[in-house]
Amino acid sequence: MSEIAPTGIEATRRRLTEKQADTVDRLTVAAVDVLSREGYSGTTIRLVAAAAGVGTATAYTYFSSKEHLISEVFWRRLVAMPPLEAGDADATARVVAVLRQVSMLVADEPALAGAVSSALLGDDPDVHHLRVRIGIEIRHRLGQALGGKDPERLAALELLYSGALLQGGMGLLSYEQVADLLEMCARRLMTEPTGDDRGARPPDSSRSSLVADPLP
C-alpha cells in the first residue's frame, strides 16, 4: 500500500528515501514522454525504465504495472493542483470552477488523458488504492466548494464528474466539451432541492461512487 513520501507526494507501495523518490520522479516523467510517442498500448515498464535511465527490475520495485505507473502520474498531478481562490463566489461558481479545473487537468496531453482513463479501470490492487485516494481528493475539493454538509449533492456531483470524464477518456467528448457539460449539469444540479429540502433522508456519503471505485 502506498505511503506519503518525504517530499509530500504520494509514494509507490512503501516509504521512500530521497534517492528513491528521485527515481520515482524520473519514472513518472519518463512515462509521459513514452506515452506521447508509443501510445497506451505500446507503453511498457521496460520502455519507461529505459527512458528514465533505470533498470527494469528497479522500476518494478516501485510500480507493479504500467497501469499503476500511469495512475500515479495522474494522482501526482491532482494533488499538486493548487486550490482555487474563489473569493466571494457563491457555492455554484465554486463547484463549477473545481469541476472545470479537475476535468482539464490533462486535457492538453491527449495520450496521457486516454491512458489515465484506461489505467484507472484496471484491477491491480495498487491501482485500486490510488483510485480511492483520487476519489477522496476530488470529494474533498468538491466538499470545500459546497461550503457545508450536503451529502446528497456531493454524491451527485461525484457521479456526474466520473461519468463525464469516462466519456472524455473514451473519446466520445473532447475535454473542453466535458468541462462545458459538467458546468451545465452542475448549475442545474445546484438549483435542485436536496433530500433534506424534500423531506427525504439523504444518502450515506460514505457510499459515494468515487470513493468506492472512482474514475479519472
Side-chain angles (χ1 to χ4, degrees):
M1 185 172 287
S2 298
E3 303 281 353
I4 301 299
T7 57
I9 298 294
E10 175 82 355
T12 56
R13 309 171 81 183
R14 57 194 175 91
R15 189 171 298 278
L16 304 179
T17 65
E18 184 176 350
K19 182 178 179 180
Q20 291 169 334
D22 177 69
T23 299
V24 170
D25 288 342
R26 286 158 52 199
L27 287 166
T28 54
V29 170
V32 178
D33 291 338
V34 173
L35 277 168
S36 67
R37 297 195 310 268
E38 306 292 338
Y40 180 70
S41 61
T43 296
T44 64
I45 291 290
R46 181 182 297 276
L47 285 176
V48 172
V54 174
T56 302
T58 298
Y60 272 113
T61 66
Y62 300 107
F63 296 105
S64 55
S65 63
K66 74 175 180 181
E67 290 80 11
H68 181 202
L69 172 55
I70 293 166
S71 299
E72 179 83 10
V73 171
F74 184 79
W75 163 249
R76 287 171 172 244
R77 296 281 184 91
L78 179 64
V79 296
M81 190 172 64
L84 289 172
E85 296 182 4
D88 296 328
D90 62 16
T92 297
R94 293 194 303 267
V95 165
V96 166
V98 168
L99 288 172
R100 185 170 288 277
Q101 183 188 40
V102 176
S103 65
M104 297 296 290
L105 184 58
V106 293
D108 293 334
E109 301 167 274
L112 175 60
V116 165
S117 296
S118 297
L120 283 172
L121 291 172
D123 57 4
D124 183 328
D126 289 309
V127 172
H128 173 75
H129 174 71
L130 284 172
R131 248 193 337 253
V132 172
R133 297 298 298 269
I134 288 166
I136 290 171
E137 178 67 20
I138 293 172
R139 164 185 281 213
H140 173 69
R141 290 174 184 258
L142 286 171
Q144 285 191 320
L146 282 170
K149 292 185 177 180
D150 195 345
E152 185 181 66
R153 193 165 276 144
L154 178 57
L157 287 168
E158 290 178 296
L159 184 61
L160 173 64
Y161 166 80
S162 61
L165 265 289
L166 180 60
Q167 292 199 44
M170 292 170 62
L172 301 177
L173 297 172
S174 71
Y175 281 87
E176 290 78 8
Q177 289 174 318
V178 166
D180 291 342
L181 180 63
L182 281 170
E183 177 172 354
M184 179 186 71
C185 294
R187 289 189 181 280
R188 175 165 295 188
L189 176 65
M190 292 296 288
T191 64
E192 291 292 320
T194 64
D196 288 337
D197 294 333
R198 297 192 302 267
R201 181 181 178 182
D204 181 357
S205 63
S206 67
R207 296 180 61 83
S208 161
S209 61
L210 268 174
V211 173
D213 207 9
L215 296 173

